[in-house]
Amino acid sequence: MVARLLLARHGQTEWHGENRYAGSSDVALTGEGLRQADELAGFAAAVRPSAVYCSPQSRARRTAAPSAEALGLPLRVVDGLREVHFGLMEGRTRDELAASDPEAVARFLADPVTGAFPGSEPPEEAAARGAGALRAIAAEVPGETVLVVAHNTLIRLTLCALLGIPLETYRTVFPRLDNAAVTEIAIDGTRTGLLRLNQPAHTRY
């Protein structure tokens, strides 16, 4: 039976304004991020998913918590949903890294897979990890709809892996996912369909 997964990026964090790469770093939500989490909870209350899953990182857990509370459901933390570790880029902006290592930035912009930042989690491994996590969730909830709160790069890489899109194009095919916006997919075994992309939570259905 087909499982429907409502994928949401976490709310805005304190590093968003400067466009710093958070990755595996623990960064708090801003006031706007907390508002977005509440907005996502309103969406969840209207749609009534049967379960709420999230990444173990605090920004994802804090975003997912109001939805779980609104639904009276436990928050199910899945380690495979954590964000990609960005290695040398962790905690930096691209301009900061370009000042010390312009070639690293150029390689990344040319091909974010073969040119991944030094020391980062290989994108192929992150994509496989994310796809495995979502397929495992889908196998737990056949015929149901669930909310999954995770991260920008992890979700985009995972979508490519599930939909058969070349990983090196993830930044152009999916330029960005907005904070607390919803992307819906349907998973039936090894088959995945994209039902909607980057829909603001306040628009509901």
Side-chain angles (χ1 to χ4, degrees), residues 3 36 43 69 81 99 129 140 157 171 193:
Q36 291 166 340
F43 170 88
E69 183 176 354
L81 296 174
R129 167 168 61 80
E140 290 179 0
L157 285 169
R171 297 182 67 250

Side-chain angles (χ1 to χ4, degrees), residues 167-191:
L167 289 184
E168 63 269 19
T169 67
Y170 85 87
R171 297 182 67 250
T172 52
V173 175
F174 302 112
R176 62 172 288 127
L177 297 177
D178 294 326
N179 295 112
V182 175
T183 293
E184 183 175 0
I185 60 174
I187 296 182
D188 183 7
T190 59
R191 297 178 296 178

Side-chain angles (χ1 to χ4, degrees), residues 1-7 48-53 73-74 76 78 133-148 185-189:
M1 297 177 67
V2 176
R4 292 181 178 243
L5 277 57
L6 306 170
L7 311 178
R48 308 299 299 180
S50 62
V52 180
Y53 295 83
L73 296 171
R76 304 184 185 186
V78 177
L134 293 189
R135 285 193 178 115
I137 289 171
E140 290 179 0
V141 293
E144 299 180 26
T145 297
V146 299
L147 176 64
V148 179
I185 60 174
I187 296 182
D188 183 7

Side-chain angles (χ1 to χ4, degrees), residues 4 101 149 199:
R4 292 181 178 243
D101 193 346
V149 180
Q199 179 180 338

